[in-house]
Structures are given as structure tokens and as C-alpha cells.
Amino acid sequence: MVERISALDGNYQKGIFGKGKTPGIQLIEVKDLILYQVAVWPNTLKNVGSNIAKSLSLEEYPEPNFASSNKINAMLRVEPLKWWVVGKSNLKEITTEESCILDISHSKTCIRISGKDTISFINRFLPIDLREISFPVDAVASTVFHHVSVTLWRSKIGYELFIPRAFALSLWELLKESAAQFGYEIQ
């Protein structure tokens, strides 16, 4: 098996940086990301969605721009006919006649952002209303970050930012530079 090397390898230094002793931002790269993309046809949407949710032990499949999750897996509805499945999933029950499954784990870098200043920090880059009423837990949005298409998911433990691997390092540098004003910790 090929060993996966992080796009941030060599530029990921753990510690506390920036102003103050109490960091307002925590940044974590989600290592060994497992990410599948499942595309369906309109007439197979309900069947495939239900089967995936069942195989992931989720109550139901999410509506567009939302996610369903448990402690192990998550199912994000990133487009009307497309889901991302995050985590140690078992998609063997899904047939190729009903859907198309693609492993995109190596194409994305996931950075988890949390802390008391998270919303102010993220809004420096993403034009999204992140208030609880507009972007609740399990909300998902596709947007742009410095002209790069990204996906943001508000999970139960923070904001998960999915970045194309080719742009991960340059956007990581921008995140660190901006986080310095709040004080930040890389875990």
C-alpha cells in the first residue's frame, strides 16, 4: 500500500503562535482523511441515500447543504445529486447501476478550525454568514477561498475546511498568517 504524505508535510509545526498566551483559534489537519464521493441519478437518489445512511448507522440521508453524522462517519450533501462520505465507511452495498462511487481521499486536505474566534477568523476568507441561525451544526457550503473552490462543514467539533490538495500549502500559510492576530494553536 502506498504511504500517504500530507500536503502540509514539512510545514506543520505544532505549538502556540501569534498574540497572547490563550489562543483564539485551533487548527488541526485531519490526518489520513477517508473521503468518498457518491453521485446518483434523480431516480436513484432516495434508494441510494437511504442505503448509504443505513450502512453508516445514520438516521437518514441529509438534504442539500447539510450533513448527517455520528462519531465515526459523516454524509455531506455537497450537491443536489452528490454526497461525500467521510470516515471509515462501508459502501459495498451500493450498486454501480444506481450510483458512481469515487475515492477522493488523496485529492483533499481537511483542516479543522475551532476556538472562540473561529467565526471572525473564517469570515476573513469565506463570504458566508456563519451565525448559528444561518449556518447551524451540520450545515455544508461550497464556496471559494482566495479563488480556490472549497467545502466548509460545521461539524459538532468545529468547522471542517476541505481544500484541494494542490492548494493546501498556500492556503495553510494564509490561514496561519491571519490566525496570528487572534493567537493560534496547531495541534
Side-chain angles (χ1 to χ4, degrees):
M1 179 172 215
V2 176
E3 180 185 352
R4 185 184 313 187
I5 298 173
S6 165
L8 306 179
D9 197 39
N11 292 284
Y12 194 86
Q13 180 183 359
K14 293 181 180 184
I16 296 176
F17 308 91
K19 80 170 205 178
K21 293 183 179 185
T22 305
I25 303 293
Q26 285 83 39
L27 301 171
I28 302 170
E29 179 187 12
V30 178
K31 298 282 188 175
D32 299 321
L33 177 67
I34 298 172
L35 180 63
Y36 289 94
Q37 179 174 282
V38 181
V40 296
W41 291 267
N43 62 332
T44 63
L45 176 85
K46 289 181 182 177
N47 188 43
V48 173
S50 295
N51 287 342
I52 293 172
K54 182 181 175 184
S55 71
L56 300 177
S57 300
L58 301 172
E59 291 181 25
E60 60 184 35
Y61 65 87
E63 293 298 317
N65 299 318
F66 282 94
S68 293
S69 60
N70 56 32
K71 292 181 180 182
I72 302 168
N73 298 299
M75 186 176 178
L76 287 62
R77 186 85 169 268
V78 293
E79 293 180 25
L81 297 175
K82 197 175 287 178
W83 290 283
W84 281 0
V85 176
V86 182
K88 298 176 180 6
S89 57
N90 181 6
L91 299 178
K92 293 178 183 176
E93 301 166 8
I94 312 305
T95 65
T96 55
E97 290 82 28
E98 295 182 318
S99 63
C100 179
I101 301 172
L102 182 63
D103 183 350
I104 60 172
S105 303
H106 295 276
S107 71
K108 302 286 182 190
T109 296
C110 181
I111 298 172
R112 181 175 299 129
I113 306 168
S114 60
K116 66 180 177 63
D117 296 318
T118 300
I119 291 175
S120 294
F121 171 66
I122 292 175
N123 276 147
R124 303 268 194 278
F125 301 105
L126 306 182
I128 298 174
D129 182 355
L130 295 175
R131 292 175 298 162
E132 177 71 30
I133 195 164
S134 301
F135 202 77
V137 170
D138 279 335
V140 176
S142 294
T143 186
V144 294
F145 175 173
H146 227 45
H147 303 287
V148 177
S149 188
V150 298
T151 300
L152 182 68
W153 166 38
R154 183 175 185 182
S155 71
K156 292 171 180 68
I157 55 177
Y159 290 83
E160 317 283 332
L161 183 63
F162 295 89
I163 301 171
R165 181 181 171 84
F167 294 96
L169 184 56
S170 62
L171 297 182
W172 175 250
E173 293 297 328
L174 287 171
L175 287 170
K176 290 191 314 180
E177 184 177 310
S178 183
Q181 66 188 304
F182 300 102
Y184 68 99
E185 179 180 11
I186 298 175
Q187 301 176 347

